[in-house]
Amino acid sequence: MRRSDIKNIIESIMFSYGEPITIKELNLAINEELAPKEIEIMLEALIKEYKENDRGIQIIKLDDKFQMCSNEKYADYIKKIIEPSKKRVISQATLETLVIIAYKQPITKNDIEDLRGVKCDKVLKTLLDNGLIYEAGRLNKTGKPIIYKTTDEFLKILEIESLKDLPNIV
């Protein structure tokens, strides 16, 4: 298979899939004997092409995943076509809990409640319903409590690539 074909396959997978995808997942889908570094090089070439040609789409990096999305430069035009969803205003309690999870993850509900000093069942449900956190498994200790982590959606909303880009807490 030609290199240009593989690059086109990557592009079509990312366009169709719509969600963030890892290099490993792309490599499995292509089913060629390619080194992950080769897939990464092709992704970087696509990113560069879209930027240089000022395209309407772009590929963004979210931690160890990549996602195709529209170019933010054209957001006003997209908004004219797509009815914007109602923005949900999150409460101070929800925001505090989200910040705790972002900086302390993986973290259990009990640990969050210990830090905040109040129950957080409703707040966690709100964050889960809005796709900002997810249940990342259970701790192997008494009661097997659920641990929570932030999602890629959280990174997108903050417009950061990785949790490493969060501001340092003094």
Side-chain angles (χ1 to χ4, degrees):
M1 192 178 300
R2 293 187 335 232
R3 192 172 180 86
S4 63
D5 290 336
I6 293 171
K7 194 165 80 170
N8 291 339
I9 291 168
I10 291 169
E11 185 177 42
S12 60
I13 289 170
M14 293 186 74
F15 175 78
S16 300
Y17 189 55
E19 295 294 320
I21 191 167
T22 65
I23 289 172
K24 184 178 179 181
E25 290 169 321
L26 285 169
N27 209 353
L28 287 171
I30 294 168
N31 203 20
E32 289 290 314
E33 291 186 15
L34 293 172
K37 190 66 179 169
E38 290 180 77
I39 299 281
E40 188 173 2
I41 289 168
M42 289 182 210
L43 271 169
E44 295 298 336
L46 280 169
I47 291 169
K48 185 177 176 185
E49 282 176 34
Y50 293 148
K51 263 187 196 163
E52 287 176 352
N53 295 315
D54 198 24
R55 300 283 301 270
I57 56 174
Q58 63 183 350
I59 296 174
I60 59 172
K61 188 173 181 185
L62 301 164
D63 252 344
D64 64 337
K65 297 177 183 180
F66 294 84
Q67 183 174 19
M68 184 175 282
C69 61
S70 59
N71 185 332
E72 64 185 325
K73 181 176 176 181
Y74 306 110
D76 290 338
Y77 301 99
I78 295 167
K79 287 177 188 172
K80 290 177 184 177
I81 298 296
I82 300 173
E83 186 178 335
S85 61
K86 293 181 181 177
K87 288 190 176 184
R88 294 184 182 146
V89 179
I90 61 174
S91 68
Q92 184 67 29
T94 306
L95 185 59
E96 287 172 10
T97 303
L98 184 57
V99 168
I100 289 169
I101 295 169
Y103 281 96
K104 301 280 189 182
Q105 63 186 303
I107 189 167
T108 66
K109 182 180 109 176
N110 286 341
D111 292 337
I112 296 166
E113 290 174 346
D114 287 345
L115 286 167
R116 290 203 57 239
V118 294
K119 294 282 184 195
C120 65
D121 297 298
K122 186 177 179 188
V123 170
L124 287 174
K125 182 176 178 354
T126 300
L127 291 170
L128 286 164
D129 290 347
N130 285 300
L132 297 173
I133 64 168
Y134 68 101
E135 295 179 1
R138 293 185 174 268
L139 280 184
N140 194 14
K141 69 178 197 179
T142 307
K144 298 211 180 260
I146 297 169
I147 53 175
Y148 297 95
K149 288 185 174 183
T150 55
T151 62
D152 290 335
E153 185 65 24
F154 170 76
L155 296 175
K156 280 194 265 183
I157 287 171
L158 289 183
E159 297 180 358
I160 60 175
E161 183 179 311
S162 162
L163 292 171
K164 294 175 190 162
D165 298 329
L166 287 172
N168 291 329
I169 304 175
V170 186

